[in-house]
PDB file of all heavy atoms in Angstrom:
ATOM      1  N   ARG A  16      22.774  -1.312  10.352  1.00 81.00           N
ATOM      2  CA  ARG A  16      23.984  -0.514  10.087  1.00 81.00           C
ATOM      3  C   ARG A  16      23.726   0.351   8.877  1.00 81.00           C
ATOM      4  O   ARG A  16      23.202  -0.090   7.868  1.00 81.00           O
ATOM      5  CB  ARG A  16      25.138  -1.480   9.782  1.00 81.00           C
ATOM      6  CG  ARG A  16      26.466  -1.005  10.253  1.00 81.00           C
ATOM      7  CD  ARG A  16      27.484  -2.106  10.190  1.00 81.00           C
ATOM      8  NE  ARG A  16      27.620  -2.884  11.406  1.00 81.00           N
ATOM      9  CZ  ARG A  16      28.207  -2.466  12.497  1.00 81.00           C
ATOM     10  NH1 ARG A  16      28.702  -1.227  12.520  1.00 81.00           N
ATOM     11  NH2 ARG A  16      28.304  -3.193  13.558  1.00 81.00           N
ATOM     12  N   LYS A  18      24.832   2.968   5.661  1.00 70.00           N
ATOM     13  CA  LYS A  18      25.799   2.844   4.602  1.00 70.00           C
ATOM     14  C   LYS A  18      27.199   3.229   5.090  1.00 70.00           C
ATOM     15  O   LYS A  18      28.189   2.643   4.656  1.00 70.00           O
ATOM     16  CB  LYS A  18      25.387   3.735   3.427  1.00 70.00           C
ATOM     17  CG  LYS A  18      25.064   2.937   2.185  1.00 70.00           C
ATOM     18  CD  LYS A  18      24.793   3.894   1.048  1.00 70.00           C
ATOM     19  CE  LYS A  18      24.298   3.156  -0.170  1.00 70.00           C
ATOM     20  NZ  LYS A  18      23.801   4.070  -1.164  1.00 70.00           N
ATOM     21  N   LYS A  19      27.231   4.242   5.941  1.00 72.00           N
ATOM     22  CA  LYS A  19      28.538   4.711   6.404  1.00 72.00           C
ATOM     23  C   LYS A  19      29.102   3.812   7.497  1.00 72.00           C
ATOM     24  O   LYS A  19      30.225   4.013   7.959  1.00 72.00           O
ATOM     25  CB  LYS A  19      28.350   6.107   6.986  1.00 72.00           C
ATOM     26  CG  LYS A  19      28.234   7.188   5.956  1.00 72.00           C
ATOM     27  CD  LYS A  19      28.191   8.534   6.654  1.00 72.00           C
ATOM     28  CE  LYS A  19      27.795   9.620   5.663  1.00 72.00           C
ATOM     29  NZ  LYS A  19      27.208  10.717   6.367  1.00 72.00           N
ATOM     30  N   ILE A  23      22.528   2.123  13.749  1.00 83.00           N
ATOM     31  CA  ILE A  23      21.313   2.936  14.012  1.00 83.00           C
ATOM     32  C   ILE A  23      20.336   2.067  14.749  1.00 83.00           C
ATOM     33  O   ILE A  23      19.976   0.964  14.328  1.00 83.00           O
ATOM     34  CB  ILE A  23      20.764   3.452  12.698  1.00 83.00           C
ATOM     35  CG1 ILE A  23      21.671   4.559  12.202  1.00 83.00           C
ATOM     36  CG2 ILE A  23      19.365   3.983  12.828  1.00 83.00           C
ATOM     37  CD1 ILE A  23      21.510   4.951  10.785  1.00 83.00           C
ATOM     38  N   TYR A  59      12.274 -13.407  16.967  1.00 86.00           N
ATOM     39  CA  TYR A  59      12.378 -13.115  15.581  1.00 86.00           C
ATOM     40  C   TYR A  59      12.837 -11.701  15.363  1.00 86.00           C
ATOM     41  O   TYR A  59      12.329 -10.751  15.962  1.00 86.00           O
ATOM     42  CB  TYR A  59      10.999 -13.335  14.901  1.00 86.00           C
ATOM     43  CG  TYR A  59      10.984 -13.053  13.456  1.00 86.00           C
ATOM     44  CD1 TYR A  59      11.418 -13.971  12.555  1.00 86.00           C
ATOM     45  CD2 TYR A  59      10.567 -11.806  12.998  1.00 86.00           C
ATOM     46  CE1 TYR A  59      11.456 -13.711  11.215  1.00 86.00           C
ATOM     47  CE2 TYR A  59      10.561 -11.524  11.612  1.00 86.00           C
ATOM     48  CZ  TYR A  59      11.011 -12.476  10.742  1.00 86.00           C
ATOM     49  OH  TYR A  59      11.032 -12.203   9.424  1.00 86.00           O
ATOM     50  N   GLN A 278      13.276  10.491  12.805  1.00 76.00           N
ATOM     51  CA  GLN A 278      13.713   9.280  12.108  1.00 76.00           C
ATOM     52  C   GLN A 278      14.822   8.576  12.922  1.00 76.00           C
ATOM     53  O   GLN A 278      15.575   9.312  13.611  1.00 76.00           O
ATOM     54  CB  GLN A 278      14.281   9.664  10.742  1.00 76.00           C
ATOM     55  CG  GLN A 278      13.312  10.309   9.815  1.00 76.00           C
ATOM     56  CD  GLN A 278      12.330   9.330   9.206  1.00 76.00           C
ATOM     57  OE1 GLN A 278      12.357   8.183   9.502  1.00 76.00           O
ATOM     58  NE2 GLN A 278      11.459   9.822   8.336  1.00 76.00           N
ATOM     59  N   LEU A 429     -17.752  10.938 -16.674  1.00 81.00           N
ATOM     60  CA  LEU A 429     -16.634  11.838 -16.592  1.00 81.00           C
ATOM     61  C   LEU A 429     -16.369  12.536 -17.915  1.00 81.00           C
ATOM     62  O   LEU A 429     -16.040  13.710 -17.961  1.00 81.00           O
ATOM     63  CB  LEU A 429     -15.397  11.027 -16.228  1.00 81.00           C
ATOM     64  CG  LEU A 429     -14.187  11.777 -15.656  1.00 81.00           C
ATOM     65  CD1 LEU A 429     -14.546  12.445 -14.330  1.00 81.00           C
ATOM     66  CD2 LEU A 429     -13.032  10.841 -15.486  1.00 81.00           C
ATOM     67  N   PHE A 444      -7.618  11.528  -0.960  1.00 90.00           N
ATOM     68  CA  PHE A 444      -7.764  10.083  -0.737  1.00 90.00           C
ATOM     69  C   PHE A 444      -7.313   9.677   0.654  1.00 90.00           C
ATOM     70  O   PHE A 444      -6.613  10.395   1.370  1.00 90.00           O
ATOM     71  CB  PHE A 444      -7.000   9.287  -1.773  1.00 90.00           C
ATOM     72  CG  PHE A 444      -7.556   9.449  -3.169  1.00 90.00           C
ATOM     73  CD1 PHE A 444      -7.121  10.497  -3.991  1.00 90.00           C
ATOM     74  CD2 PHE A 444      -8.493   8.584  -3.632  1.00 90.00           C
ATOM     75  CE1 PHE A 444      -7.652  10.679  -5.235  1.00 90.00           C
ATOM     76  CE2 PHE A 444      -9.032   8.744  -4.900  1.00 90.00           C
ATOM     77  CZ  PHE A 444      -8.569   9.777  -5.689  1.00 90.00           C
ATOM     78  N   GLU A 449      -0.513   6.173  -1.808  1.00 86.00           N
ATOM     79  CA  GLU A 449      -1.008   5.747  -3.129  1.00 86.00           C
ATOM     80  C   GLU A 449      -1.536   6.907  -3.945  1.00 86.00           C
ATOM     81  O   GLU A 449      -1.661   6.813  -5.143  1.00 86.00           O
ATOM     82  CB  GLU A 449      -2.183   4.750  -2.932  1.00 86.00           C
ATOM     83  CG  GLU A 449      -1.681   3.430  -2.444  1.00 86.00           C
ATOM     84  CD  GLU A 449      -2.541   2.288  -2.952  1.00 86.00           C
ATOM     85  OE1 GLU A 449      -3.638   2.561  -3.512  1.00 86.00           O
ATOM     86  OE2 GLU A 449      -2.073   1.140  -2.868  1.00 86.00           O
ATOM     87  N   SER A 450      -1.850   8.000  -3.297  1.00 89.00           N
ATOM     88  CA  SER A 450      -2.486   9.083  -4.066  1.00 89.00           C
ATOM     89  C   SER A 450      -1.422  10.056  -4.646  1.00 89.00           C
ATOM     90  O   SER A 450      -1.769  10.932  -5.416  1.00 89.00           O
ATOM     91  CB  SER A 450      -3.515   9.826  -3.230  1.00 89.00           C
ATOM     92  OG  SER A 450      -2.861  10.535  -2.200  1.00 89.00           O
ATOM     93  N   ASN A 452       2.048  10.334  -6.893  1.00 90.00           N
ATOM     94  CA  ASN A 452       2.898   9.557  -7.751  1.00 90.00           C
ATOM     95  C   ASN A 452       4.344   9.484  -7.193  1.00 90.00           C
ATOM     96  O   ASN A 452       4.951  10.550  -7.000  1.00 90.00           O
ATOM     97  CB  ASN A 452       2.943  10.200  -9.148  1.00 90.00           C
ATOM     98  CG  ASN A 452       3.578   9.344 -10.200  1.00 90.00           C
ATOM     99  OD1 ASN A 452       4.444   8.547  -9.866  1.00 90.00           O
ATOM    100  ND2 ASN A 452       3.152   9.501 -11.432  1.00 90.00           N
ATOM    101  N   PRO A 453       4.855   8.297  -6.903  1.00 88.00           N
ATOM    102  CA  PRO A 453       6.154   8.221  -6.226  1.00 88.00           C
ATOM    103  C   PRO A 453       7.325   8.743  -7.078  1.00 88.00           C
ATOM    104  O   PRO A 453       8.378   9.059  -6.549  1.00 88.00           O
ATOM    105  CB  PRO A 453       6.317   6.705  -5.983  1.00 88.00           C
ATOM    106  CG  PRO A 453       5.377   6.050  -6.921  1.00 88.00           C
ATOM    107  CD  PRO A 453       4.256   6.991  -7.111  1.00 88.00           C
ATOM    108  N   ASN A 454       7.114   8.899  -8.366  1.00 86.00           N
ATOM    109  CA  ASN A 454       8.228   9.381  -9.199  1.00 86.00           C
ATOM    110  C   ASN A 454       8.108  10.883  -9.520  1.00 86.00           C
ATOM    111  O   ASN A 454       8.881  11.377 -10.358  1.00 86.00           O
ATOM    112  CB  ASN A 454       8.220   8.596 -10.541  1.00 86.00           C
ATOM    113  CG  ASN A 454       8.848   7.260 -10.327  1.00 86.00           C
ATOM    114  OD1 ASN A 454      10.003   7.183  -9.924  1.00 86.00           O
ATOM    115  ND2 ASN A 454       8.102   6.189 -10.580  1.00 86.00           N
ATOM    116  N   HIS A 455       7.211  11.544  -8.905  1.00 89.00           N
ATOM    117  CA  HIS A 455       7.117  12.996  -9.075  1.00 89.00           C
ATOM    118  C   HIS A 455       7.541  13.731  -7.825  1.00 89.00           C
ATOM    119  O   HIS A 455       7.322  13.254  -6.740  1.00 89.00           O
ATOM    120  CB  HIS A 455       5.660  13.404  -9.393  1.00 89.00           C
ATOM    121  CG  HIS A 455       5.225  13.053 -10.763  1.00 89.00           C
ATOM    122  ND1 HIS A 455       3.972  13.250 -11.257  1.00 89.00           N
ATOM    123  CD2 HIS A 455       5.902  12.487 -11.800  1.00 89.00           C
ATOM    124  CE1 HIS A 455       3.864  12.865 -12.478  1.00 89.00           C
ATOM    125  NE2 HIS A 455       5.059  12.376 -12.856  1.00 89.00           N
ATOM    126  N   GLN A 463       0.331  19.966 -11.327  1.00 91.00           N
ATOM    127  CA  GLN A 463      -0.577  19.387 -12.283  1.00 91.00           C
ATOM    128  C   GLN A 463      -1.938  20.055 -12.424  1.00 91.00           C
ATOM    129  O   GLN A 463      -2.326  20.443 -13.517  1.00 91.00           O
ATOM    130  CB  GLN A 463      -0.736  17.904 -11.983  1.00 91.00           C
ATOM    131  CG  GLN A 463       0.467  17.125 -12.487  1.00 91.00           C
ATOM    132  CD  GLN A 463       0.245  15.667 -12.529  1.00 91.00           C
ATOM    133  OE1 GLN A 463      -0.601  15.149 -11.841  1.00 91.00           O
ATOM    134  NE2 GLN A 463       1.016  14.986 -13.295  1.00 91.00           N
ATOM    135  N   TYR A 468      -5.862  23.368 -15.185  1.00 91.00           N
ATOM    136  CA  TYR A 468      -7.023  24.216 -15.142  1.00 91.00           C
ATOM    137  C   TYR A 468      -6.732  25.667 -15.438  1.00 91.00           C
ATOM    138  O   TYR A 468      -7.557  26.397 -15.956  1.00 91.00           O
ATOM    139  CB  TYR A 468      -7.711  24.112 -13.797  1.00 91.00           C
ATOM    140  CG  TYR A 468      -8.199  22.738 -13.463  1.00 91.00           C
ATOM    141  CD1 TYR A 468      -7.828  22.115 -12.262  1.00 91.00           C
ATOM    142  CD2 TYR A 468      -9.068  22.095 -14.318  1.00 91.00           C
ATOM    143  CE1 TYR A 468      -8.306  20.839 -11.967  1.00 91.00           C
ATOM    144  CE2 TYR A 468      -9.540  20.816 -14.017  1.00 91.00           C
ATOM    145  CZ  TYR A 468      -9.155  20.206 -12.822  1.00 91.00           C
ATOM    146  OH  TYR A 468      -9.620  18.958 -12.534  1.00 91.00           O
ATOM    147  N   SER A 495      11.313  20.218  -3.943  1.00 84.00           N
ATOM    148  CA  SER A 495      12.126  19.245  -4.686  1.00 84.00           C
ATOM    149  C   SER A 495      12.146  17.882  -4.056  1.00 84.00           C
ATOM    150  O   SER A 495      12.938  17.017  -4.457  1.00 84.00           O
ATOM    151  CB  SER A 495      13.546  19.774  -4.828  1.00 84.00           C
ATOM    152  OG  SER A 495      14.100  19.941  -3.538  1.00 84.00           O
ATOM    153  N   ARG A 499       8.398   9.782  -1.000  1.00 83.00           N
ATOM    154  CA  ARG A 499       8.968   8.793  -0.067  1.00 83.00           C
ATOM    155  C   ARG A 499       9.851   9.440   1.008  1.00 83.00           C
ATOM    156  O   ARG A 499      10.157   8.825   1.998  1.00 83.00           O
ATOM    157  CB  ARG A 499       9.776   7.713  -0.789  1.00 83.00           C
ATOM    158  CG  ARG A 499      10.935   8.236  -1.582  1.00 83.00           C
ATOM    159  CD  ARG A 499      11.766   7.140  -2.152  1.00 83.00           C
ATOM    160  NE  ARG A 499      12.805   7.671  -2.995  1.00 83.00           N
ATOM    161  CZ  ARG A 499      12.622   8.060  -4.263  1.00 83.00           C
ATOM    162  NH1 ARG A 499      11.428   7.874  -4.826  1.00 83.00           N
ATOM    163  NH2 ARG A 499      13.611   8.570  -4.975  1.00 83.00           N
ATOM    164  N   GLN A 500      10.205  10.687   0.750  1.00 82.00           N
ATOM    165  CA  GLN A 500      11.064  11.392   1.762  1.00 82.00           C
ATOM    166  C   GLN A 500      10.208  12.122   2.779  1.00 82.00           C
ATOM    167  O   GLN A 500      10.766  12.790   3.644  1.00 82.00           O
ATOM    168  CB  GLN A 500      11.954  12.367   1.029  1.00 82.00           C
ATOM    169  CG  GLN A 500      12.887  11.698   0.053  1.00 82.00           C
ATOM    170  CD  GLN A 500      13.509  12.757  -0.899  1.00 82.00           C
ATOM    171  OE1 GLN A 500      12.854  13.276  -1.744  1.00 82.00           O
ATOM    172  NE2 GLN A 500      14.762  12.998  -0.690  1.00 82.00           N
TER     173      GLN A 500
ATOM    174  N   MET B   1      21.960   0.304   5.320  1.00 34.00           N
ATOM    175  CA  MET B   1      20.786   0.828   4.634  1.00 34.00           C
ATOM    176  C   MET B   1      21.065   2.230   4.068  1.00 34.00           C
ATOM    177  O   MET B   1      22.043   2.882   4.427  1.00 34.00           O
ATOM    178  CB  MET B   1      19.615   0.939   5.637  1.00 34.00           C
ATOM    179  CG  MET B   1      19.166  -0.389   6.109  1.00 34.00           C
ATOM    180  SD  MET B   1      17.793  -1.043   5.179  1.00 34.00           S
ATOM    181  CE  MET B   1      16.419  -0.203   5.863  1.00 34.00           C
ATOM    182  N   LEU B   3      20.181   5.183   4.537  1.00 40.00           N
ATOM    183  CA  LEU B   3      19.539   6.172   5.376  1.00 40.00           C
ATOM    184  C   LEU B   3      19.832   7.582   4.883  1.00 40.00           C
ATOM    185  O   LEU B   3      18.918   8.359   4.683  1.00 40.00           O
ATOM    186  CB  LEU B   3      20.033   6.014   6.821  1.00 40.00           C
ATOM    187  CG  LEU B   3      19.169   6.680   7.808  1.00 40.00           C
ATOM    188  CD1 LEU B   3      17.897   5.900   8.017  1.00 40.00           C
ATOM    189  CD2 LEU B   3      19.894   6.836   9.100  1.00 40.00           C
ATOM    190  N   ASP B   4      21.105   7.936   4.696  1.00 42.00           N
ATOM    191  CA  ASP B   4      21.452   9.260   4.346  1.00 42.00           C
ATOM    192  C   ASP B   4      20.827   9.694   3.026  1.00 42.00           C
ATOM    193  O   ASP B   4      20.295  10.754   2.876  1.00 42.00           O
ATOM    194  CB  ASP B   4      22.958   9.407   4.264  1.00 42.00           C
ATOM    195  CG  ASP B   4      23.578   9.086   5.589  1.00 42.00           C
ATOM    196  OD1 ASP B   4      22.865   9.229   6.592  1.00 42.00           O
ATOM    197  OD2 ASP B   4      24.767   8.676   5.593  1.00 42.00           O
ATOM    198  N   ILE B   6      18.175   8.562   1.701  1.00 42.00           N
ATOM    199  CA  ILE B   6      16.752   8.688   1.818  1.00 42.00           C
ATOM    200  C   ILE B   6      16.369  10.097   2.349  1.00 42.00           C
ATOM    201  O   ILE B   6      15.464  10.755   1.874  1.00 42.00           O
ATOM    202  CB  ILE B   6      16.121   7.591   2.698  1.00 42.00           C
ATOM    203  CG1 ILE B   6      16.127   6.294   1.955  1.00 42.00           C
ATOM    204  CG2 ILE B   6      14.680   7.942   3.065  1.00 42.00           C
ATOM    205  CD1 ILE B   6      15.683   5.111   2.770  1.00 42.00           C
ATOM    206  N   TYR B   7      17.100  10.511   3.341  1.00 44.00           N
ATOM    207  CA  TYR B   7      16.719  11.774   3.981  1.00 44.00           C
ATOM    208  C   TYR B   7      17.171  12.975   3.166  1.00 44.00           C
ATOM    209  O   TYR B   7      16.592  14.027   3.217  1.00 44.00           O
ATOM    210  CB  TYR B   7      17.346  11.867   5.362  1.00 44.00           C
ATOM    211  CG  TYR B   7      16.830  10.800   6.303  1.00 44.00           C
ATOM    212  CD1 TYR B   7      17.568  10.362   7.371  1.00 44.00           C
ATOM    213  CD2 TYR B   7      15.535  10.272   6.124  1.00 44.00           C
ATOM    214  CE1 TYR B   7      17.054   9.416   8.238  1.00 44.00           C
ATOM    215  CE2 TYR B   7      15.039   9.311   6.961  1.00 44.00           C
ATOM    216  CZ  TYR B   7      15.803   8.871   8.000  1.00 44.00           C
ATOM    217  OH  TYR B   7      15.323   7.934   8.826  1.00 44.00           O
ATOM    218  N   GLU B   9      17.946  13.158  -0.255  1.00 49.00           N
ATOM    219  CA  GLU B   9      17.896  13.091  -1.738  1.00 49.00           C
ATOM    220  C   GLU B   9      17.208  14.326  -2.338  1.00 49.00           C
ATOM    221  O   GLU B   9      16.159  14.786  -1.864  1.00 49.00           O
ATOM    222  CB  GLU B   9      17.114  11.837  -2.083  1.00 49.00           C
ATOM    223  CG  GLU B   9      17.268  11.424  -3.528  1.00 49.00           C
ATOM    224  CD  GLU B   9      16.427  10.160  -3.760  1.00 49.00           C
ATOM    225  OE1 GLU B   9      15.893   9.639  -2.758  1.00 49.00           O
ATOM    226  OE2 GLU B   9      16.351   9.751  -4.857  1.00 49.00           O
ATOM    227  N   GLU B  10      17.765  14.813  -3.394  1.00 53.00           N
ATOM    228  CA  GLU B  10      17.114  15.929  -4.106  1.00 53.00           C
ATOM    229  C   GLU B  10      16.906  15.487  -5.554  1.00 53.00           C
ATOM    230  O   GLU B  10      17.382  14.460  -5.950  1.00 53.00           O
ATOM    231  CB  GLU B  10      18.063  17.156  -4.084  1.00 53.00           C
ATOM    232  CG  GLU B  10      18.395  17.723  -2.737  1.00 53.00           C
ATOM    233  CD  GLU B  10      17.350  18.693  -2.291  1.00 53.00           C
ATOM    234  OE1 GLU B  10      16.780  19.411  -3.136  1.00 53.00           O
ATOM    235  OE2 GLU B  10      17.030  18.727  -1.073  1.00 53.00           O
ATOM    236  N   ASP B 184      -4.406   5.380  -6.296  1.00 88.00           N
ATOM    237  CA  ASP B 184      -5.216   6.577  -6.221  1.00 88.00           C
ATOM    238  C   ASP B 184      -4.722   7.741  -7.047  1.00 88.00           C
ATOM    239  O   ASP B 184      -5.493   8.593  -7.468  1.00 88.00           O
ATOM    240  CB  ASP B 184      -5.390   7.002  -4.756  1.00 88.00           C
ATOM    241  CG  ASP B 184      -6.313   6.096  -4.013  1.00 88.00           C
ATOM    242  OD1 ASP B 184      -7.115   5.404  -4.693  1.00 88.00           O
ATOM    243  OD2 ASP B 184      -6.246   6.024  -2.769  1.00 88.00           O
ATOM    244  N   PHE B 185      -3.404   7.812  -7.311  1.00 90.00           N
ATOM    245  CA  PHE B 185      -2.922   8.978  -8.070  1.00 90.00           C
ATOM    246  C   PHE B 185      -3.389   8.942  -9.498  1.00 90.00           C
ATOM    247  O   PHE B 185      -3.562   9.974 -10.123  1.00 90.00           O
ATOM    248  CB  PHE B 185      -1.422   9.185  -7.938  1.00 90.00           C
ATOM    249  CG  PHE B 185      -0.547   8.080  -8.466  1.00 90.00           C
ATOM    250  CD1 PHE B 185      -0.224   8.016  -9.754  1.00 90.00           C
ATOM    251  CD2 PHE B 185      -0.031   7.134  -7.569  1.00 90.00           C
ATOM    252  CE1 PHE B 185       0.612   7.018 -10.219  1.00 90.00           C
ATOM    253  CE2 PHE B 185       0.804   6.128  -8.015  1.00 90.00           C
ATOM    254  CZ  PHE B 185       1.144   6.051  -9.336  1.00 90.00           C
ATOM    255  N   VAL B 187      -6.438   7.555 -10.296  1.00 88.00           N
ATOM    256  CA  VAL B 187      -7.826   7.895 -10.117  1.00 88.00           C
ATOM    257  C   VAL B 187      -7.954   9.420 -10.016  1.00 88.00           C
ATOM    258  O   VAL B 187      -8.826  10.038 -10.604  1.00 88.00           O
ATOM    259  CB  VAL B 187      -8.410   7.233  -8.847  1.00 88.00           C
ATOM    260  CG1 VAL B 187      -9.879   7.573  -8.688  1.00 88.00           C
ATOM    261  CG2 VAL B 187      -8.226   5.719  -8.914  1.00 88.00           C
ATOM    262  N   SER B 188      -7.017   9.982  -9.233  1.00 89.00           N
ATOM    263  CA  SER B 188      -7.023  11.418  -9.011  1.00 89.00           C
ATOM    264  C   SER B 188      -6.826  12.179 -10.323  1.00 89.00           C
ATOM    265  O   SER B 188      -7.526  13.129 -10.619  1.00 89.00           O
ATOM    266  CB  SER B 188      -5.912  11.747  -8.013  1.00 89.00           C
ATOM    267  OG  SER B 188      -5.590  13.055  -7.994  1.00 89.00           O
ATOM    268  N   ARG B 190      -7.494  11.089 -13.271  1.00 87.00           N
ATOM    269  CA  ARG B 190      -8.720  10.913 -14.066  1.00 87.00           C
ATOM    270  C   ARG B 190      -9.795  11.855 -13.649  1.00 87.00           C
ATOM    271  O   ARG B 190     -10.512  12.453 -14.440  1.00 87.00           O
ATOM    272  CB  ARG B 190      -9.223   9.455 -13.926  1.00 87.00           C
ATOM    273  CG  ARG B 190      -8.590   8.532 -14.909  1.00 87.00           C
ATOM    274  CD  ARG B 190      -9.447   7.293 -15.043  1.00 87.00           C
ATOM    275  NE  ARG B 190      -8.852   6.435 -16.018  1.00 87.00           N
ATOM    276  CZ  ARG B 190      -8.913   5.113 -16.015  1.00 87.00           C
ATOM    277  NH1 ARG B 190      -9.568   4.517 -15.046  1.00 87.00           N
ATOM    278  NH2 ARG B 190      -8.367   4.459 -16.989  1.00 87.00           N
ATOM    279  N   ALA B 191      -9.976  11.937 -12.296  1.00 88.00           N
ATOM    280  CA  ALA B 191     -11.023  12.778 -11.772  1.00 88.00           C
ATOM    281  C   ALA B 191     -10.766  14.229 -12.124  1.00 88.00           C
ATOM    282  O   ALA B 191     -11.709  15.042 -12.286  1.00 88.00           O
ATOM    283  CB  ALA B 191     -11.136  12.616 -10.288  1.00 88.00           C
ATOM    284  N   ARG B 192      -9.465  14.623 -12.262  1.00 88.00           N
ATOM    285  CA  ARG B 192      -9.162  16.006 -12.674  1.00 88.00           C
ATOM    286  C   ARG B 192      -9.437  16.235 -14.110  1.00 88.00           C
ATOM    287  O   ARG B 192      -9.583  17.358 -14.537  1.00 88.00           O
ATOM    288  CB  ARG B 192      -7.703  16.306 -12.361  1.00 88.00           C
ATOM    289  CG  ARG B 192      -7.391  16.629 -10.920  1.00 88.00           C
ATOM    290  CD  ARG B 192      -6.067  17.378 -10.846  1.00 88.00           C
ATOM    291  NE  ARG B 192      -4.950  16.589 -11.399  1.00 88.00           N
ATOM    292  CZ  ARG B 192      -4.256  15.726 -10.694  1.00 88.00           C
ATOM    293  NH1 ARG B 192      -4.518  15.488  -9.442  1.00 88.00           N
ATOM    294  NH2 ARG B 192      -3.278  15.043 -11.247  1.00 88.00           N
ATOM    295  N   ASN B 202       2.647  11.166 -17.962  1.00 88.00           N
ATOM    296  CA  ASN B 202       3.066  11.753 -16.646  1.00 88.00           C
ATOM    297  C   ASN B 202       2.966  10.757 -15.507  1.00 88.00           C
ATOM    298  O   ASN B 202       3.770  10.827 -14.572  1.00 88.00           O
ATOM    299  CB  ASN B 202       2.183  12.957 -16.335  1.00 88.00           C
ATOM    300  CG  ASN B 202       2.570  14.150 -17.184  1.00 88.00           C
ATOM    301  OD1 ASN B 202       3.750  14.357 -17.415  1.00 88.00           O
ATOM    302  ND2 ASN B 202       1.580  14.879 -17.633  1.00 88.00           N
ATOM    303  N   GLU B 203       1.925   9.943 -15.500  1.00 88.00           N
ATOM    304  CA  GLU B 203       1.672   9.137 -14.341  1.00 88.00           C
ATOM    305  C   GLU B 203       2.131   7.676 -14.461  1.00 88.00           C
ATOM    306  O   GLU B 203       2.688   7.117 -13.550  1.00 88.00           O
ATOM    307  CB  GLU B 203       0.149   9.143 -13.980  1.00 88.00           C
ATOM    308  CG  GLU B 203      -0.462  10.546 -13.939  1.00 88.00           C
ATOM    309  CD  GLU B 203      -0.080  11.305 -12.753  1.00 88.00           C
ATOM    310  OE1 GLU B 203       0.479  10.720 -11.778  1.00 88.00           O
ATOM    311  OE2 GLU B 203      -0.318  12.547 -12.713  1.00 88.00           O
ATOM    312  N   PRO B 206       6.533   6.929 -15.789  1.00 88.00           N
ATOM    313  CA  PRO B 206       7.621   6.991 -14.771  1.00 88.00           C
ATOM    314  C   PRO B 206       7.579   5.793 -13.824  1.00 88.00           C
ATOM    315  O   PRO B 206       8.618   5.432 -13.252  1.00 88.00           O
ATOM    316  CB  PRO B 206       7.304   8.285 -14.003  1.00 88.00           C
ATOM    317  CG  PRO B 206       6.505   9.105 -14.986  1.00 88.00           C
ATOM    318  CD  PRO B 206       5.753   8.143 -15.797  1.00 88.00           C
ATOM    319  N   ASN B 207       6.414   5.189 -13.656  1.00 88.00           N
ATOM    320  CA  ASN B 207       6.315   4.065 -12.716  1.00 88.00           C
ATOM    321  C   ASN B 207       6.505   2.675 -13.299  1.00 88.00           C
ATOM    322  O   ASN B 207       6.717   1.757 -12.598  1.00 88.00           O
ATOM    323  CB  ASN B 207       4.931   4.150 -11.985  1.00 88.00           C
ATOM    324  CG  ASN B 207       4.841   5.277 -11.026  1.00 88.00           C
ATOM    325  OD1 ASN B 207       5.589   5.330 -10.042  1.00 88.00           O
ATOM    326  ND2 ASN B 207       4.009   6.294 -11.352  1.00 88.00           N
ATOM    327  N   VAL B 297      11.458 -13.959   5.186  1.00 35.00           N
ATOM    328  CA  VAL B 297      11.520 -15.019   6.149  1.00 35.00           C
ATOM    329  C   VAL B 297      11.741 -14.469   7.571  1.00 35.00           C
ATOM    330  O   VAL B 297      12.513 -13.572   7.751  1.00 35.00           O
ATOM    331  CB  VAL B 297      12.674 -16.006   5.808  1.00 35.00           C
ATOM    332  CG1 VAL B 297      12.685 -17.136   6.789  1.00 35.00           C
ATOM    333  CG2 VAL B 297      12.464 -16.531   4.400  1.00 35.00           C
TER     334      VAL B 297
END
Side-chain angles (χ1 to χ4, degrees):
Chain A
R16 214 171 267 287
K18 244 185 187 170
K19 284 184 191 155
I23 287 167
Y59 179 82
Q278 298 282 4
L429 198 65
F444 294 88
E449 288 213 346
S450 68
N452 190 334
N454 282 302
H455 285 177
Q463 283 194 337
Y468 297 127
S495 60
R499 62 173 174 278
Q500 298 166 288
Chain B
M1 294 267 280
L3 198 74
D4 299 336
I6 286 174
Y7 296 153
E9 194 180 355
E10 297 274 325
D184 286 338
F185 61 84
V187 181
S188 163
R190 272 200 178 149
R192 279 199 302 272
N202 287 320
E203 310 286 348
N207 288 296
V297 181

